[in-house]
Amino acid sequence: MKVENIELIHIELPLKAPFETSFGTSVSRQVILVKVDCEGVTGWGEVSALEGPYYNSETTETAWYVLQQYAIPLVLGRTVDHPSELFALLDVIKGHHFAKAGLENAVWDAYAKSQGLPLRDVLGGSGHRIGVGVSVGIQQTPAHLVETVAGFLEEGYQRIKIKIKPGRDLDDLRAVRRAYPEAPVMADANNAYTLDNIDTFRALDELQLMMYEQPLAWNDIVDHATLQAAVKTPICLDESIHTVDDTRKALALDACRLINIKVGRVAGLTGAKAIHDMMHSRNLPVWGGGMLETGVGRAINIHMATLPGFTLPGDTSAYDRYYNEDIVDRPAVLDAEGFVAVPEGPGIGVNVLTERVERLTLRRYSA
Ligand code: OSB
Ligand code: MG
């Protein structure tokens, strides 16, 4: 399969409501759509780096630059037998995983379409729907939080993830536990704490949360092992797992018992699958994270979550949790039992609404 044309489309969509984490608040979402043409089939990917370098070091702008200057020239005009070859081709570029993922995943979509198969099938997944939870940003007060959680539970979400930061942790989570003693609830700190805060996590242990996501530094594995040894609740790593090798090291140190897999953070579906395979071979669960993706990235996340090790509900919520209107024809919706359907049909299974994308476009690049 020859990669004949590559197009980048930088778009911006308003979020329905501001999304606050320990590192800041988003009011709209900018992503780069990557469109590849390969011998008569078109594949789509999405670069889901945040606008600013606050989740990790990448931004929309760094991804645009690295794709244009370095990644696209390595891939354009190449013939590949399988999309996983892009992982090796792009490996000479250090880091910039979100940028690479947009390009690699577009080729995965094109490849699946060339085979006439859903992306799920070429990845090795199965099933027609995936269980989903929701990630709830920091709210004005614990009372507002309980109200927000109530709404999502009512809608049917299978698991509630609550963003925390120092000063907005125990009271918030205690309020949720008081209202919902049995609900599947977890906390995501987005690296806002240090080992000086071990007592906070010991106190949180009493609330029987499913897991603590990335409590400590974005680039740490060692301190997480110290924290894991000091608390009962399992630790789930997000920010600090970039590769299968990071996974091996984290497991060797017992720094985590679960991993939130985000295709962007791990450079694309090849990296995601490798991390999944390692965790699954050790009977450790993974689940599908998100970066507030639009319908393209969301569809990719949904197909990935059909792999057998994705045993817990992920953050791949329905589109209407984020946006008033999505950019694809069959956006993800929540069914009555808290599942989202895997879009059937070749590739990612959704079609990009080009007129809508046009309206949201900030800039384009073609190579
Ligand atoms: O830490 O998982 C995170 C959103 C942006 C950046 C980081 C994170 C998140 C989320 C939301 O938690 C996930 C989603 O609903 O897409
Ligand atoms: Mg997280």
Side-chain angles (χ1 to χ4, degrees):
M1 207 174 64
K2 185 171 178 191
V3 183
E4 294 162 330
N5 291 294
I6 302 175
E7 194 175 344
L8 304 179
I9 310 169
H10 180 174
I11 60 169
E12 178 167 21
L13 279 85
L15 283 167
K16 263 166 94 166
F19 186 75
E20 183 178 343
T21 64
S22 62
F23 57 74
T25 304
S26 300
V27 293
S28 75
R29 193 71 185 92
Q30 292 184 38
V31 301
I32 301 167
L33 299 176
V34 181
K35 184 181 173 197
V36 297
D37 292 314
C38 307
E39 298 175 19
V41 288
T42 297
W44 289 90
E46 176 170 335
V47 175
S48 61
L50 293 189
E51 295 74 22
Y54 308 119
Y55 165 75
N56 69 5
S57 62
E58 284 186 88
T59 71
T60 319
E61 193 71 31
T62 66
W64 184 269
Y65 173 74
V66 167
L67 280 165
Q68 266 194 18
Q69 297 292 318
Y70 302 104
I72 289 174
L74 285 170
V75 173
L76 191 64
R78 287 254 183 186
T79 298
V80 293
D81 291 329
H82 193 269
S84 60
E85 289 171 32
L86 265 79
F87 184 88
L89 268 178
L90 296 173
D91 203 39
V92 296
I93 301 170
K94 305 293 188 292
H96 298 286
H97 283 189
F98 280 97
K100 292 175 184 175
L103 184 51
E104 190 197 291
N105 293 347
V107 177
W108 274 95
D109 179 31
Y111 174 76
K113 284 170 176 159
S114 76
Q115 304 289 303
L117 294 170
L119 181 56
R120 172 198 58 217
D121 296 9
V122 301
L123 284 169
S126 63
H128 297 284
R129 59 180 197 168
I130 59 157
V132 293
V134 64
S135 174
V136 182
I138 296 167
Q139 307 290 305
Q140 272 179 308
T141 64
H144 282 97
L145 173 62
V146 171
E147 207 176 297
T148 304
V149 168
F152 286 130
L153 286 172
E154 190 107 331
E155 279 188 67
Y157 282 106
Q158 296 186 25
R159 179 229 63 188
I160 305 288
K161 162 165 138 182
I162 293 167
K163 295 287 189 179
I164 58 169
K165 65 178 181 181
R168 290 303 303 277
D169 38 42
L170 278 163
D171 290 350
D172 282 69
L173 285 164
R174 280 183 183 135
V176 172
R177 262 291 168 253
R178 218 172 295 127
Y180 297 102
E182 308 285 336
V185 172
M186 58 172 288
D188 185 1
N190 285 110
N191 59 78
Y193 296 84
T194 69
L195 285 178
D196 291 342
N197 306 113
I198 282 187
D199 288 346
T200 301
F201 291 98
R202 285 215 172 104
L204 284 171
D205 268 350
E206 285 164 30
L207 300 178
Q208 310 273 346
L209 302 178
M210 296 168 77
M211 67 194 88
Y212 301 143
E213 182 174 339
Q214 197 72 34
L216 308 178
W218 67 281
N219 54 359
D220 169 77
I221 286 176
V222 176
D223 283 354
H224 279 98
T226 305
L227 180 62
Q228 183 66 89
V231 297
K232 286 192 229 125
T233 306
I235 289 177
C236 173
L237 288 178
D238 173 358
E239 282 88 326
S240 37
I241 300 296
H242 310 104
T243 59
V244 70
D245 224 38
D246 289 341
T247 308
R248 174 181 63 76
K249 291 171 187 175
L251 296 181
L253 293 177
D254 192 23
C256 70
R257 311 257 160 94
L258 308 103
I259 291 178
N260 162 347
I261 298 186
K262 293 183 182 169
V263 275
R265 198 190 66 232
V266 304
L269 287 164
T270 304
K273 204 169 141 49
I275 293 170
H276 160 274
D277 292 352
M278 176 174 283
M279 292 293 281
H280 193 47
S281 73
R282 301 189 192 195
N283 275 316
L284 293 170
V286 297
W287 52 272
M291 294 293 290
L292 317 172
E293 281 88 350
T294 75
V296 169
R298 189 164 307 282
I300 293 165
N301 293 344
I302 293 167
H303 283 278
M304 173 182 73
T306 64
L307 288 169
F310 285 79
T311 53
L312 292 170
D315 280 347
T316 307
S317 314
Y319 87 93
D320 68 353
R321 180 260 172 282
Y322 313 90
Y323 305 109
N324 285 316
E325 47 174 40
D326 207 334
I327 59 158
V328 296
D329 59 348
R330 291 189 293 158
V333 293
L334 196 69
D335 72 17
E337 284 108 38
F339 292 82
V340 160
V342 180
E344 298 295 338
I348 59 175
V350 297
N351 295 298
V352 173
L353 301 171
T354 43
E355 269 168 39
R356 200 167 284 173
V357 166
E358 206 75 51
R359 269 197 283 122
L360 302 167
T361 297
L362 301 176
R363 57 178 164 168
R364 278 174 181 266
Y365 171 78
S366 289

